[in-house]
Amino acid sequence: MSSIRSGFVALLGAPNVGKSTLMNQVLKEKISITCPKPQTTRNRILGILNRPDCQMIFVDTPGIHRARDAFNRILVDTALATLDEVDAICFVIEAPEPEREADRFALEAMAGVSTPAILVINKVDLLKNKAALLPLIDRYRGLRDFEAVVPVSALTGDGVPELIDALVGLLPEGPRYYPEDHITDQPERFLAAEIIREKVFHLTEQEVPYAAAVTVDRFSEDPERRRVHIEATIHVERPSQKGILIGKGGRMLKEIGRQARMDIEGLLGCRVFLGLFVRIQKNWRKDARQMAEFGYRAPR
Ligand SMILES: Nc1nc2c(ncn2[C@@H]2O[C@H](COP(=O)(O)OP(=O)(O)OP(=O)(O)O)[C@@H](O)[C@H]2O)c(=O)[nH]1
Ligand SMILES: [Mg+2]
């Protein structure tokens, strides 16, 4: 039996640079939710790439930023905790906005870690002039000793095969950590909750997406009707947010449910009944116990 390479690769960077989009592009499957709004990802999310010669386990993380409260501290700590458990890092920035303080801050947060890192310059599809990348690459090379610099478009897939090739070289020989047909370790319940949260992120504005957490209260097969029956609750912090989520005549909640149900049906490959409820959990982002109950706790 010939040996393979295997290991863990963290996707790290400032919020909104396209880490989750890149993960989905690598896996050709939607594992991690994405949104034009920052701070979409809140957990550490595994995506497993299986090839005959390697198993590469990508770890998508929340965007690193200057956390101003306990909730955001948990998000940032969740991202930084992956530094200790990976064989390689993809540090992601976005090409159209190269001079961002946010990227500098994220890079500094991993300064003390010697894990090999690749600089991934994302969103090159938005660049008119690729030569504009050269000074950017020089500057970043001065800030950290990157193993490689790879421009990509997570949206179109441009450059992604080159990125994977560069990463394979950084992984040690090892076993497959997960069965070959697995592409994530996230349970279907979690993926369903995330899809609902994604629709809230896309369809509501200002504080509402940030004040929302989703729990799945029931997830069961209904063999008689040949479908999966899901009941989920969207928790928000204030009555005004509940009002917005439900919308005039219940229209907003209906639309969130419709879009989420279609995506969950695609994920599960079967028909789905989705019942959605909205509940106020006053100031849950200020309550450590409540945050933990929603799946947000500081990593050990
Ligand atoms: N044009 C273009 N847009 C992209 C590309 N990659 C990501 N985006 C968009 O950028 C936005 C943010 O993408 P995400 O994947 O959610 O970013 P993220 O880094 O995971 O963000 P957080 O989880 O909030 O830290 C979304 O609107 C994506 O569609 C790309 O290569 N090109
Ligand atoms: Mg993300």
Side-chain angles (χ1 to χ4, degrees), residues 58-77:
F58 286 86
V59 189
D60 186 19
T61 66
I64 298 168
H65 62 282
R66 238 178 261 282
R68 294 187 202 285
D69 56 32
F71 177 65
N72 283 279
R73 190 74 246 160
I74 289 177
L75 303 190
V76 174
D77 286 348

Side-chain angles (χ1 to χ4, degrees), residues 213-217 231-235 275-279:
V214 176
T215 55
V216 170
D217 316 306
E231 285 168 25
T233 303
I234 305 171
H235 307 263
L276 280 184
F277 307 89
V278 183
R279 211 180 128 249

Side-chain angles (χ1 to χ4, degrees), residues 117 150 167 271:
V150 187
L167 284 168
R271 286 206 305 136

Side-chain angles (χ1 to χ4, degrees), residues 16 18-21 32-34 39-42 60-63:
N16 220 35
K19 301 176 293 296
S20 302
T21 307
S32 198
I33 65 169
T34 66
Q39 285 151 45
T40 307
T41 305
R42 291 179 180 169
D60 186 19
T61 66

Side-chain angles (χ1 to χ4, degrees), residues 84-299:
D84 297 327
E85 47 187 54
V86 296
D87 302 285
I89 296 166
C90 287
F91 181 72
V92 186
I93 62 173
E94 49 175 81
E97 270 194 86
E99 290 291 349
R100 295 195 321 171
E101 203 273 327
D103 298 315
R104 289 291 182 101
F105 179 80
L107 187 61
E108 270 163 32
M110 45 181 253
V113 178
S114 59
T115 310
I118 290 180
L119 178 66
V120 179
I121 307 178
N122 189 28
K123 307 194 187 183
V124 293
D125 56 289
L126 296 175
L127 276 191
K128 286 193 190 76
N129 174 13
K130 296 258 153 76
L133 289 178
L134 295 175
L136 174 64
I137 292 171
D138 270 353
R139 221 161 25 248
Y140 270 89
R141 283 223 188 259
L143 296 172
R144 189 185 173 107
D145 188 12
F146 287 104
E147 305 289 326
V149 177
V150 187
V152 304
S153 168
L155 208 58
T156 66
D158 233 23
V160 171
E162 289 80 357
L163 173 62
I164 293 169
D165 286 345
L167 284 168
V168 174
L170 298 180
L171 299 185
E173 283 188 3
R176 282 186 203 276
Y177 294 98
Y178 293 90
E180 248 175 290
D181 57 347
H182 283 209
I183 68 163
T184 183
D185 71 339
Q186 255 69 44
E188 286 172 342
R189 274 182 102 98
F190 174 82
L191 296 174
E194 284 287 273
I195 288 171
I196 296 162
R197 203 166 63 74
E198 181 183 67
K199 303 314 169 196
V200 174
F201 250 74
H202 279 260
L203 293 169
T204 67
E205 299 301 327
Q206 292 170 8
E207 263 306 284
V208 181
Y210 299 100
V214 176
T215 55
V216 170
D217 316 306
R218 177 176 164 192
F219 191 112
S220 56
E221 280 174 35
D222 181 349
E224 236 158 69
R225 292 202 172 86
R226 305 230 309 276
R227 67 179 186 186
V228 171
H229 183 109
I230 299 172
E231 285 168 25
T233 303
I234 305 171
H235 307 263
V236 287
E237 294 187 318
R238 290 202 298 268
S240 58
Q241 296 160 347
K242 178 173 174 176
I244 290 168
L245 269 185
I246 291 173
K248 261 207 192 92
R251 251 175 276 166
M252 174 60 89
L253 193 62
K254 217 176 193 169
E255 184 59 14
I256 291 169
R258 190 186 67 81
Q259 292 190 15
R261 179 181 50 77
M262 294 204 310
D263 279 16
I264 298 169
E265 286 181 340
L267 171 80
L268 301 179
C270 66
R271 286 206 305 136
V272 165
F273 168 86
L274 177 61
L276 280 184
F277 307 89
V278 183
R279 211 180 128 249
I280 298 163
Q281 183 65 47
K282 207 166 159 258
N283 294 330
W284 65 263
R285 281 181 298 173
K286 293 203 170 75
D287 178 344
R289 197 185 54 82
Q290 200 52 64
M291 285 193 281
E293 231 159 81
F294 292 157
Y296 310 121
R297 50 171 74 81

